[in-house]
Amino acid sequence: MAAKFDPIRDLDRFFADITRTPNSTALPMDLYRDGDAFIARIDMPGVDPSSIDVDVQDRTLTVRAERVAATDDAEVQWLSRERPTGTFARQLTLGNRIALDQITAAYEDGVLMLTIPVAEEAKPRKISVNHAKRPEVVSGDESL
């Protein structure tokens, strides 16, 4: 089978390959607030769950994961290779009103879900107002 030469496509693929770094392909994420917690859902299809690393340092939450190539066989002739491989990372800067010690992570169906709770001291609360009655002042003599 004769290979078709397409200089534009080949050049585009060449530059995409040399400029791709582990952090250049961001992990797509949805982030929303649900009650007293923030929820981050990060797409990680094809990632080995044992390669996922989540840590927090100085209010920066970092997620790292690795996707390996399906085959590295030297005999294989790639016709199209668009799925990035390597180590990927995503960082979130957390505010000071987050309960860092209560962050949880779960990986299911290629999606990492982080639950980031709001700290107790940051939650709104109602402060009750005590009303002290003044003692009644009686003036004069009230004899019957």
Side-chain angles (χ1 to χ4, degrees), residues 45-74:
V47 166
D48 178 8
S50 65
S51 77
I52 299 172
D53 181 43
V54 180
D55 63 55
V56 176
Q57 182 177 3
D58 296 329
R59 301 241 167 240
T60 299
L61 183 140
T62 304
V63 176
R64 284 187 184 81
E66 185 175 1
R67 182 185 306 137
V68 295
T71 182
D72 282 330
D73 189 356

Side-chain angles (χ1 to χ4, degrees), residues 50-103:
S50 65
S51 77
I52 299 172
D53 181 43
V54 180
D55 63 55
V56 176
Q57 182 177 3
D58 296 329
R59 301 241 167 240
T60 299
L61 183 140
T62 304
V63 176
R64 284 187 184 81
E66 185 175 1
R67 182 185 306 137
V68 295
T71 182
D72 282 330
D73 189 356
E75 299 294 317
V76 173
Q77 180 184 2
W78 288 98
L79 302 176
S80 176
R81 190 169 188 177
E82 297 176 357
R83 297 178 63 222
T85 58
T87 302
F88 302 93
R90 183 78 190 242
Q91 290 187 322
L92 299 172
T93 302
L94 305 175
N96 58 1
R97 297 177 169 223
I98 298 296
L100 298 176
D101 59 338
Q102 296 176 17
I103 296 173

Side-chain angles (χ1 to χ4, degrees), residues 33-50:
R33 185 167 181 169
D34 184 10
D36 290 334
F38 294 95
I39 308 296
R41 298 177 55 86
I42 304 171
D43 287 347
M44 299 181 165
V47 166
D48 178 8
S50 65

